[in-house]
Amino acid sequence: MKTFTQTIFARAVAGLLVCFATLTTFAQDVSVNILNQPAYVPQLATTGRVTVDVCNNDGGATAATAGKVRVTVVFPSAIVGTIVGVTTTGWTIESNTGGTIVLTNSASILAGACSQISLGYTATTLGGPSAVTGTLSFPMGALVGDLSTNNTSTTSISVLVDTDGDLVPDVDDLDDDNDGILDTVEDAASCTSAAGIVTANVDCDGDGIPN
């Protein structure tokens, strides 16, 4: 039979253990950050990429185990068509329709580590910049200490004119119409009529040679 002193001591030790466990419990915050690179693409290009970084910011050693994290990425369907998973290692695509792709982690994300997803898209219609949003959710329940402000990230997509269809946007193309004459020459060329009227023209005398 325990003495009164032994009982009091045992209870004190138990209380200290509870306090210690409470003090050493770390908050687990998982964050998302998305980035579109390049920031703009020419119409009909399939080279657009959105990278999604999901990071487990746990202060201890708690992994975000498989099935614990879900990320939903919403693309601007008005200017973007097909979306594909380029790099999805450690993730399972749950759905991909109407400009929205949903993925759930199929592998643990260790404490202090990040997992990166790369998504490709087809630029179908001129427009932008239009928002792309990535949002985290937790199928197994909210994480203790999760910061909701870290559960959403936004980037943007622009689809630009590509006059000659060479997949280089006009803003970057040195020869927009691919006629072999640089835009700097064409843009600077002009003709002056006998009446003194100046009009843009790359070949004023019609001999087939730029001014």
Side-chain angles (χ1 to χ4, degrees):
M1 179 180 295
K2 292 182 179 179
T3 64
F4 176 75
T5 301
Q6 289 174 323
T7 300
I8 294 299
F9 178 76
R11 289 178 178 176
V13 170
L16 287 173
L17 290 175
V18 170
C19 290
F20 179 75
T22 301
L23 290 172
T24 55
T25 297
F26 295 96
Q28 184 176 33
D29 174 55
V30 175
S31 62
V32 62
N33 184 65
I34 69 173
L35 179 65
N36 177 48
Q37 288 290 343
Y40 54 81
V41 292
Q43 189 175 18
L44 303 181
T46 59
T47 54
R49 295 290 183 269
V50 169
T51 57
V52 184
D53 288 304
V54 179
C55 298
N56 179 5
N57 306 311
D58 182 68
T62 304
T65 53
K68 200 170 186 179
V69 181
R70 178 171 293 155
V71 57
T72 300
V73 183
V74 180
F75 286 77
S77 58
I79 62 174
V80 170
T82 304
I83 302 166
V84 296
V86 177
T87 304
T88 58
T89 304
W91 295 84
T92 298
I93 297 176
E94 304 289 350
S95 63
N96 183 5
T97 182
T100 299
I101 185 168
V102 180
L103 307 95
T104 301
N105 69 315
S106 55
S108 293
I109 305 173
L110 300 179
C114 297
S115 178
Q116 187 174 87
I117 301 165
S118 177
L119 303 174
Y121 61 89
T122 300
T124 57
T125 308
L126 298 177
S130 298
V132 184
T133 303
T135 304
L136 293 181
S137 57
F138 307 100
M140 295 183 180
L143 304 180
V144 176
D146 180 61
L147 300 176
S148 60
T149 52
N150 290 336
N151 292 345
T152 303
S153 179
T154 302
T155 186
S156 64
I157 289 174
S158 292
V159 179
L160 305 184
V161 174
D162 176 21
T163 300
D164 56 9
D166 63 355
L167 297 182
V168 179
D170 285 1
V171 294
D172 296 328
D173 200 336
L174 299 179
D175 181 9
D176 291 353
D177 53 10
N178 201 29
D179 62 355
I181 304 172
L182 295 178
D183 295 341
T184 52
V185 174
E186 293 181 337
D187 293 343
S190 63
C191 306
T192 304
S193 70
I197 299 174
V198 179
T199 56
N201 196 318
V202 297
D203 183 14
C204 291
D205 57 9
D207 63 357
I209 301 174
N211 299 333

